[in-house]
Amino acid sequence: MTEAVLEIKDVNLAFKGKRTVLDVLSNRPSRDVHALNGVSLDLRRGETLGVVGESGCGKSTLARCIVRLYEPNDGEILFQGKDVFEASERKDRSYNRRVQMMFQDPYSSLNPRMTTRQILSEALKVHDMCKEVDIPEKMSGLMDLVQLPEDALDKYPHEFSGGQRQRIGIARALAVEPEVLIADELVSALDVSVQAQIVNLLLDLQERLQLTILFVAHDLRLVRHVSNRVAVIYLGRIVEIGDSETLFANPSHPYSQALLSAAPSLDPDDKGKKIHLEGELPSPLDIPPGCPFHVRCRHKTPKCTTELPRLRPLDGRGSVACHHAEEIENV
Amino acid sequence: MTLKSVHSPILQVEDLCTTFGSGIATIPAVRDVSFSVNKGEILGLVGESGSGKSVTLRSLLGLSRRYGETTGSVYWKGDNLVVRSEADMRRIRGGEIAMIFQEPMTSLNPLLTVGMQIDETLKAHTAMNASERKARAVEMLDLVGIPAARSRLGEYPHQFSGGMRQRVMIAIALAARPQLLLADEPTTALDVTIQAQILDLILSLAKDFDMGVVLVTHDLGVVAQTCDQVAVMYAGRIVEQGAVRQVLRAPQHPYTVGLMRSVPENVPPRTPLYSIPGTPPSLLSLPEGCAFSARCPQKTVLCEQSRPHLTNETGERAVACFSRVETQGDAVA
Ligand SMILES: Nc1ncnc2c1ncn2[C@@H]1O[C@H](COP(=O)(O)OP(=O)(O)OP(=O)(O)O)[C@@H](O)[C@H]1O
Ligand SMILES: Nc1ncnc2c1ncn2[C@@H]1O[C@H](COP(=O)(O)OP(=O)(O)O)[C@@H](O)[C@H]1O
Ligand code: SF4
Ligand code: SF4
Ligand SMILES: [Mg+2]
Ligand SMILES: [Mg+2]
């Protein structure tokens, strides 16, 4: 098996809730948002791992923990075997360089008063990537890599289209020669045709630079297309993880089945072939006991309301967190 | 067998144009748009961002007048709305014709409870008394799938989740039982699971109440699963129009073909995706010929000289292109 670059082990993260006056008066504890509840996964060298799940299930929180924007309350994240939150590792800035996050909205993450040239040279200087004299050459190489014309270097972010701004965001991330890219909804705001260009670029760069990619997106078709493996998250827990094609073709967890069948197919004859998911995602303030999916699950049994199913490997499929995965028909 | 022979259109749009700005900087946002919608029928309006979908929708209700000029005709039950006064339009908006806007939060009033907002619409557009209105409000929240509807009437928009807010908007829009619903990307910001619920709701209301719908989306999957007819817009014009099954199965305009091909469905995983080369032209400097010519793989010399009109040779499919793409059978695969 391929070596794991990042190991995420039983990570928990709760955002402290504010106590309202009423809470204080009635002596209620603060209401915490349980964003991640024991997430474990390996990111293997050179792979693309897709992450899907409904809004608010913890995808971005996980991405932000990996790049140390958030610190988990519990659990650890190992990069090449070392805990990245340990004091000695924290001082080591090379992790910030080797694991790069790319943002959903490059418009707000690119400084509007800096030209592309300034943005890139700042990134190169912060991490001491090359000698001052080599910067211009390095920059034209980067423009080449993300397929932007050289004159883009002297333009400001507002002078670009959405797709071009994404390319600049990618160029900035690549400037520091990272090993891992964390892409959170990288192409979600773009039209399909531009989306396709960025996805092609990403696949091409991955091959040329042997990048490892965590790809978070809510467009299931897109995740299926780019990923080698996929993790399905529900209320801050992985409910299923495995090979992308197997999982999309034959999802095993009832939640994965419902989620995947909700994606609208291009074939008009698929009308009505959906699994109905009753109700909404419960609030992460009050996660149901037992299997957190039981309030919406068509297959629940009494056991599901009391006992939390563990993520366990299934024959010929990935790992699934469901008590009844063996009995439930694939759809 | 076309639906048109059975139903007569309730909405008929002819040569709709909307222009913003003045002098040298006029923006031709919508040009010569024509379509009709029958009772109980859902028309999808698709295209890249900036292609004029939202402006078209707003122009139908006279909402583009404030910043621009709208010409052409919008026949609503035989009556041309383009020339009606703003006062007349206010009566029609939210009553016979309802609209759901692209941003839910901007169209809900944060200071009024959801119950009060439904009540206002009903007061303005129906003759119902207070208790009938209350009953209708509960019924509507119920219908859009908001649990414990009666007790949630007194809550404010911020107390609902994003998906629920969108459904509240739909409940308000549909409260006065409109005969036509104009919905601008009603599900774009939502999860696929909630999206599926809301599209099903719109679908069943169209069928149960014979409501016509114009649904703006940029997701061809949404069109496939929801719409009867589809119109594809490019640079302010409709470039292809027809029954959903036909257009999606065998698109004939090179732009529609390109859009279909860029969707990563039925493509081998991790292979390069098709992408339409280039970007849409600026509306401020449209080419003389076909607006798609700079990106079109089928282009000829003719395409740069003159503009193809939307022709309707077969009676079922209209295409604005000098050399329609002849795809037989399954263009999806
Ligand atoms: N800084 C924060 N403070 C408090 N709560 C937060 C914070 N960031 C996220 N949350 C909450 O944590 C949960 C997980 O949020 P997260 O942003 O990870 O979701 P997501 O899966 O990325 O959703 P989306 O698909 O909408 O981007 C949500 O309930 C969210 O409201
Ligand atoms: N109030 C306005 N003033 C000037 N231009 C506008 C205005 N509203 C929209 N436009 C322009 O009209 C074109 C079509 O916009 P729109 O209908 O919103 O596109 P979409 O198809 O994404 O909904 C765009 O070029 C847009 O910038
Ligand atoms: S454990 Fe039970 S409730 Fe949870 S997904 Fe499986 S069957 Fe459904
Ligand atoms: S008219 Fe010409 S340029 Fe325009 S879409 Fe048809 S072939 Fe392409
Ligand atoms: Mg997110
Ligand atoms: Mg729009």
Side-chain angles (χ1 to χ4, degrees):
Chain A
M1 198 196 284
T2 342
E3 157 213 9
V5 185
L6 271 169
E7 293 161 77
I8 293 155
K9 296 198 161 157
D10 208 15
V11 163
N12 285 276
L13 190 145
F15 294 103
K16 281 267 161 277
K18 287 195 194 72
R19 286 177 81 190
T20 62
V21 180
L22 210 67
D23 288 336
V24 177
L25 288 178
S26 54
N27 221 351
R28 266 196 300 256
S30 71
R31 318 229 305 142
D32 297 347
V33 177
H34 298 277
L36 296 177
N37 303 297
V39 170
S40 300
L41 60 86
D42 286 351
L43 198 55
R44 300 174 189 162
R45 187 170 296 285
E47 79 169 344
T48 299
L49 177 70
V51 178
V52 297
E54 283 166 290
S55 178
C57 70
K59 305 181 295 292
S60 300
T61 305
L62 176 64
R64 290 170 154 262
C65 281
I66 294 176
V67 295
R68 298 198 293 206
L69 286 170
Y70 294 152
E71 178 158 3
N73 306 124
D74 209 355
E76 49 191 19
I77 295 179
L78 307 182
F79 180 65
Q80 298 178 340
K82 293 204 189 105
D83 186 345
V84 302
F85 287 100
E86 216 155 75
S88 59
E89 292 303 312
R90 277 186 160 280
K91 276 190 231 113
D92 179 12
R93 292 233 317 280
S94 78
Y95 179 74
N96 294 348
R97 176 183 73 71
R98 294 162 77 183
V99 179
Q100 283 285 312
M101 171 114 161
M102 294 185 294
F103 294 90
Q104 170 165 8
D105 176 12
Y107 204 52
S108 59
S109 67
L110 296 175
N111 185 337
R113 275 181 293 275
M114 283 165 83
T115 61
T116 311
R117 187 184 302 282
Q118 289 166 328
I119 290 169
L120 295 181
S121 83
E122 186 186 64
L124 291 168
K125 282 179 189 154
V126 166
H127 290 286
D128 251 333
M129 292 310 296
C130 59
K131 287 207 280 301
E132 188 92 32
V133 291
D134 296 331
I135 289 185
E137 196 193 323
K138 176 97 187 168
M139 279 201 232
S140 56
L142 283 167
M143 289 287 107
D144 235 28
L145 214 50
V146 298
Q147 295 152 26
L148 279 175
E150 195 111 343
D151 65 9
L153 280 171
D154 293 307
K155 290 188 175 163
Y156 291 90
H158 74 263
E159 296 177 80
F160 294 105
S161 70
Q164 289 171 323
R165 280 198 289 269
Q166 282 300 13
R167 287 171 200 268
I168 294 168
I170 296 174
R172 179 176 61 181
L174 293 178
V176 298
E177 297 171 22
E179 289 155 53
V180 180
L181 289 181
I182 310 292
D184 187 8
E185 306 278 6
L186 185 66
V187 295
S188 305
L190 305 173
D191 278 317
V192 276
S193 171
V194 188
Q195 244 180 25
Q197 293 168 14
I198 301 292
V199 163
N200 291 346
L201 175 66
L202 208 58
L203 288 172
D204 176 54
L205 290 172
Q206 176 167 40
E207 187 161 315
R208 284 161 65 185
L209 309 173
Q210 277 100 49
L211 296 166
T212 306
I213 300 177
L214 186 85
F215 190 86
V216 178
H218 68 265
D219 184 333
L220 300 168
R221 286 183 293 233
L222 210 57
V223 172
R224 177 181 196 160
H225 186 74
V226 303
S227 305
N228 302 103
R229 289 192 306 142
V230 173
V232 182
I233 301 202
Y234 188 74
L235 286 174
R237 276 194 181 85
I238 294 180
V239 295
E240 181 163 2
I241 181 168
D243 173 70
S244 167
E245 274 312 294
T246 315
L247 200 153
F248 275 97
N250 277 310
S252 296
H253 193 282
Y255 176 66
S256 318
Q257 294 175 350
L259 182 71
L260 302 195
S261 85
S265 140
L266 276 187
D267 185 349
D269 288 338
D270 285 348
K271 240 183 213 179
K273 288 191 199 156
K274 284 188 295 261
I275 300 175
H276 269 268
L277 200 50
E278 292 297 315
E280 297 220 10
L281 195 63
S283 155
L285 290 165
D286 284 303
I287 294 183
C291 172
F293 186 58
H294 81 254
V295 288
R296 299 165 86 185
C297 185
R298 307 185 290 162
H299 303 283
K300 72 150 183 268
T301 62
K303 182 182 184 186
C304 305
T305 59
T306 52
E307 208 174 303
L308 178 71
R310 304 246 140 246
L311 194 64
R312 59 202 169 90
L314 285 183
D315 255 0
R317 301 188 247 171
S319 296
V320 183
C322 168
H323 294 307
H324 306 294
E326 284 85 355
E327 305 120 63
I328 291 167
E329 281 284 302
N330 279 330
V331 262
Chain B
M1 189 204 73
T2 63
L3 277 171
K4 294 231 160 67
S5 53
V6 187
H7 297 282
S8 59
I10 41 167
L11 178 76
Q12 189 142 14
V13 180
E14 281 167 18
D15 303 321
L16 187 75
C17 294
T18 292
T19 310
F20 294 110
S22 59
I24 35 166
T26 54
I27 302 168
V30 171
R31 278 295 170 270
D32 303 326
V33 162
S34 304
F35 58 80
S36 59
V37 181
N38 295 324
K39 281 185 177 171
E41 185 179 71
I42 305 184
L43 168 78
L45 210 53
V46 294
E48 280 166 292
S49 101
S51 59
K53 308 180 294 293
S54 299
V55 174
T56 299
L57 221 54
R58 302 176 69 90
S59 303
L60 297 179
L61 282 180
L63 290 169
S64 300
R65 292 176 187 170
R66 221 166 302 158
Y67 311 100
E69 198 200 346
T70 300
T71 60
S73 7
V74 175
Y75 290 106
W76 170 244
K77 300 197 224 161
D79 186 13
N80 187 2
L81 298 183
V82 170
V83 298
R84 294 290 285 270
S85 70
E86 180 56 26
D88 283 349
M89 289 311 296
R90 262 201 297 273
R91 207 170 29 73
I92 292 171
R93 279 179 219 138
E96 289 178 4
I97 306 181
M99 179 147 177
I100 301 170
F101 292 93
Q102 207 164 344
E103 311 84 11
M105 252 343 229
T106 55
S107 38
L108 286 175
N109 185 339
L111 301 176
L112 295 182
T113 65
V114 163
M116 285 153 98
Q117 297 188 50
I118 300 180
D119 197 61
E120 271 193 347
T121 305
L122 292 173
K123 241 193 254 170
H125 298 289
T126 68
M128 294 173 142
N129 65 34
S131 69
E132 285 167 339
R133 293 198 304 265
K134 172 97 192 257
R136 173 67 66 86
V138 174
E139 181 197 335
M140 290 316 296
L141 286 189
D142 227 24
L143 200 63
V144 298
I146 291 187
R150 190 169 295 273
S151 64
R152 302 207 68 169
L153 278 181
E155 291 184 7
Y156 292 87
H158 75 264
Q159 290 171 285
F160 293 84
S161 74
M164 283 177 144
R165 254 178 245 147
Q166 195 75 4
R167 281 187 263 178
V168 166
M169 265 207 353
I170 295 177
I172 295 173
L174 298 176
R177 294 278 147 77
Q179 291 146 26
L180 180 69
L181 173 68
L182 307 177
D184 194 355
E185 314 240 11
T187 58
T188 300
L190 305 175
D191 284 312
V192 284
T193 47
I194 311 286
Q195 166 168 287
Q197 290 173 12
I198 288 182
L199 293 178
D200 281 352
L201 175 72
I202 292 178
L203 204 60
S204 61
L205 290 172
K207 303 308 164 202
D208 298 349
F209 296 112
D210 244 353
M211 176 179 74
V213 180
V214 183
L215 178 72
V216 168
T217 173
H218 62 262
D219 188 335
L220 291 167
V222 168
V223 172
Q225 299 308 309
T226 320
C227 301
D228 304 299
Q229 299 281 317
V230 60
V232 182
M233 288 191 76
Y234 188 77
R237 292 177 187 272
I238 293 179
V239 295
E240 179 158 10
Q241 195 167 8
V244 163
R245 177 156 307 155
Q246 292 179 25
V247 173
L248 296 194
R249 282 286 161 78
Q252 293 183 345
H253 193 284
Y255 176 63
T256 318
V257 173
L259 272 188
M260 292 289 297
R261 285 185 63 195
S262 352
V263 179
E265 189 165 298
N266 303 321
V267 185
R270 297 177 57 78
T271 55
L273 292 171
Y274 177 77
S275 158
I276 304 171
T279 50
S282 157
L283 293 178
L284 288 169
S285 55
L286 285 172
E288 215 166 282
C290 173
F292 190 57
S293 57
R295 309 171 74 186
C296 181
Q298 253 86 25
K299 153 186 100 184
T300 63
V301 187
L302 176 63
C303 307
E304 280 171 347
Q305 291 162 349
S306 51
R307 196 168 46 74
H309 293 278
L310 194 65
T311 55
N312 194 351
E313 285 157 22
T314 64
E316 286 174 343
R317 178 92 61 103
V319 181
C321 172
F322 294 122
S323 48
R324 297 166 162 226
V325 182
E326 295 301 333
T327 33
Q328 285 307 314
D330 227 359
V332 185

